[in-house]
Amino acid sequence: MAEVKLAIVISDYYEDISSGLLGGAKEYCKTNNLSYDVFKVPGALEIGSAIKIISNKVSEDEYSGYLALGCVIRGETSHFEIVINGSSRALTKLSLDSDIIIGNGILTVENEKQAIVRSDKGKDNKGYHAAYACHSLIKLKEDF
């Protein structure tokens, strides 16, 4: 198996939540001897664009996969729906159209309490789970 290196693209809009997600992703990488680079963007909608920019500017084998980390918390307006649908659609389209692997760890939650539970250290950390999902797809791709 070739060295696996991930590009982690993280929205720091909710910095405490994002930091927890990043901690989980780093823990997975450390446990599985994966290297990574971290790129920060302001919000969840910018993650897909950042992944496209990075993947277009680096050599094809620079990154084995990409992690999208961030958090969207429901507010009082329909902006929540726009952000979650737009970011999810962008990641799916980018992955399928560009043949790149993306682990989606963007939380979509009703409130801050739910975000904290999903970004805390431990088995429920969704940054850890996104890194695991990404790594699993990388291994699947290498098997073919």
Side-chain angles (χ1 to χ4, degrees):
M1 179 182 227
E3 178 194 3
V4 175
K5 184 174 183 182
L6 304 179
I8 301 174
V9 179
I10 183 166
S11 160
D12 60 3
Y13 188 83
Y14 294 105
E15 198 166 352
D16 291 345
I17 303 302
S18 297
S19 177
L21 293 169
L22 182 58
K26 286 180 174 181
E27 180 63 30
Y28 182 87
C29 289
K30 179 182 174 185
T31 302
N32 292 278
N33 298 312
L34 310 180
S35 59
Y36 58 86
D37 291 324
V38 178
F39 303 90
K40 291 187 177 183
V41 296
L45 283 174
E46 290 77 37
I47 294 173
S49 296
I51 291 173
K52 183 172 177 92
I53 290 166
I54 296 163
S55 67
N56 284 340
K57 295 294 182 184
V58 299
S59 66
E60 188 176 320
D61 59 350
E62 176 75 18
Y63 296 111
S64 307
Y66 296 80
L67 284 184
L69 301 178
C71 179
V72 184
I73 300 175
R74 184 181 299 278
E76 296 177 3
T77 68
S78 61
H79 186 66
F80 173 83
E81 302 293 334
I82 293 166
V83 174
I84 63 172
N85 290 328
S87 60
S88 178
R89 187 177 311 112
L91 294 177
T92 300
K93 182 170 177 29
L94 181 59
S95 179
L96 295 174
D97 290 352
S98 303
D99 194 32
I100 60 174
I101 295 168
I102 302 172
N104 186 348
I106 301 175
L107 301 180
T108 54
V109 296
E110 297 294 320
N111 53 57
E112 187 176 3
K113 182 180 177 184
Q114 290 177 347
I116 291 169
V117 168
R118 288 159 178 78
S119 63
D120 269 351
K121 292 181 179 178
K123 64 181 175 102
D124 291 329
N125 185 289
K126 299 308 178 191
Y128 185 96
H129 288 276
Y132 166 73
C134 185
H135 191 209
S136 296
L137 288 174
I138 290 166
K139 289 191 267 186
L140 177 67
K141 187 175 181 178
E142 288 179 349
D143 287 345
F144 287 91

